[in-house]
Amino acid sequence: DGDWHAYGRDPGGERFSPLDAIRPENVASLQVAWTFRTGDAYQPKTGRPTAFEATPLHIDGTLYLSTPLGRVIALDPVSGQQKWAFDADVPRDRGYGDFASRGVSAWRGGAEQRIFVATIDARLIALDAKTGQPIREFGDAGIVDLRKGLRIAPEGFADYQVTSPPAVVGDTIVDGSAIQDNARTTEPSGEVRGFDAITGKQKWAWDPAPQ
């Protein structure tokens, strides 16, 4: 189908769409249909400004995207009108090394669909795709704190952050991280972890550094 279900469209990240309405011979005639502004541009007191790097998902007639400040927005793809927005209330002046969010992920279980976002301050959040409300039974009222459960916990707030959408493998949400490195021997460990898509409980962890 023509939907864009994942960050790279398919599980292999091929970024290929079978849609053919836009072709080399007509691309020059395209015009702007609508513009939506998130309003989330921000220059911290120190460090890099926010950067909009999200690849929106298109699923069943809705666009889903995220912003560096932790907002998830659902839009009508025809009109550009906002359907709903969720604000994770990301703290702004914490010295992030890469102040960006590259998108959200989608999971479907039966008739239920959830949107997952991993915020730059390292929270994994599950939202109802129809309403944008947190899924209360996931983690702690919809949130899993990714700073907890690491082999080496982060010392500084910006030492451990997440900028990319998690991978969805069946009923497992797989999440990595971006860590401060080359500064000290006690930098946070960069385990890749799998979480249950329904409950938020950790299923497994893989540490790339041999112990």
Side-chain angles (χ1 to χ4, degrees):
D1 61 60
D3 279 0
W4 198 275
H5 296 273
Y7 177 69
R9 185 177 181 270
D10 57 29
E14 294 185 355
R15 290 184 169 270
F16 172 78
S17 173
L19 300 179
D20 58 3
I22 299 174
R23 303 178 300 277
E25 57 268 24
N26 68 10
V27 67
S29 65
L30 294 180
Q31 298 180 359
V32 176
W34 51 262
T35 300
F36 181 84
R37 301 188 184 281
T38 67
D40 276 12
Y42 181 71
Q43 173 61 65
K45 297 175 182 177
T46 60
R48 298 180 182 179
T50 56
F52 184 80
E53 299 179 1
T55 296
L57 304 187
H58 180 272
I59 304 172
D60 297 335
T62 300
L63 288 175
Y64 302 95
L65 59 94
S66 61
T67 74
L69 297 181
R71 296 174 67 221
V72 179
I73 302 170
L75 301 176
D76 183 303
V78 177
S79 66
Q81 294 298 306
Q82 179 177 299
K83 292 185 174 183
W84 56 255
F86 168 81
D87 192 346
D89 196 22
V90 165
R92 301 187 177 195
D93 293 287
R94 302 304 297 265
Y96 304 116
D98 190 4
F99 209 158
S101 177
R102 298 185 176 92
V104 298
S105 302
W107 170 87
R108 186 185 296 276
E112 181 186 13
Q113 181 162 296
R114 297 180 179 183
I115 299 298
F116 287 90
V117 63
T119 58
I120 193 168
D121 60 334
R123 287 176 291 159
L124 178 62
I125 303 174
L127 305 173
D128 185 307
K130 294 181 180 180
T131 66
Q133 295 299 309
I135 303 295
R136 307 296 296 181
E137 64 266 29
F138 180 86
D140 183 7
I143 300 174
V144 171
D145 186 350
L146 298 175
R147 296 176 182 276
K148 297 180 179 179
L150 296 170
R151 181 174 58 84
I152 302 177
E155 296 180 14
F157 192 86
D159 290 352
Y160 188 90
Q161 54 195 46
V162 184
T163 58
S164 296
V168 179
V169 184
D171 291 333
T172 302
I173 309 300
V174 182
D175 198 72
S177 61
I179 64 171
Q180 166 77 10
D181 57 8
N182 295 322
R184 59 180 183 270
T185 59
T186 56
E187 297 293 359
S189 48
E191 288 105 314
V192 178
R193 290 177 287 175
F195 298 90
D196 188 284
I198 299 172
T199 66
K201 292 183 178 180
Q202 182 173 309
K203 289 184 173 182
W204 51 261
W206 176 76
D207 195 329
Q211 302 304 303

